[in-house]
Amino acid sequence: MAPAEPDTGTIPRPVPDDGDHDRFAHYVDKSEAARSYVEGTPVRALCGKIWVPSRDPDRYPVCPTCKEIVDAVFGADDDES
């Protein structure tokens, strides 16, 4: 049996896909989102999702991974229970 590889502490790069991430609204840089809507170029969300925005994000719940990252950086929203 081969010895187990040591944990290097690296985080795997997210892979673009069409899975569950499509069910959420994601956080992206405003200027990148605006450019994407105009030019049709892909954007990368905080969670790593890569896609070309084409839907109204207000119709979807916020991606829990993106929200967790924003809360960790800027602090959790105290209005939520």
Side-chain angles (χ1 to χ4, degrees), residues 8-76:
T8 60
T10 60
I11 299 172
R13 292 187 66 170
V15 177
D17 63 19
D18 293 324
D20 287 341
H21 287 281
D22 286 338
R23 299 179 188 172
F24 298 109
H26 297 274
Y27 287 109
V28 299
D29 181 81
K30 256 187 200 179
S31 62
E32 287 182 25
R35 184 177 63 239
S36 178
Y37 279 115
V38 173
E39 299 175 1
T41 56
V43 294
R44 181 185 302 266
L46 290 177
C47 67
K49 163 81 173 163
I50 299 172
W51 85 111
V52 176
S54 62
R55 300 179 184 150
D56 179 10
D58 293 333
R59 294 180 36 201
Y60 300 93
V62 173
C63 168
T65 306
C66 285
K67 180 156 179 32
E68 183 179 315
I69 293 168
V70 167
D71 288 348
V73 172
F74 296 107

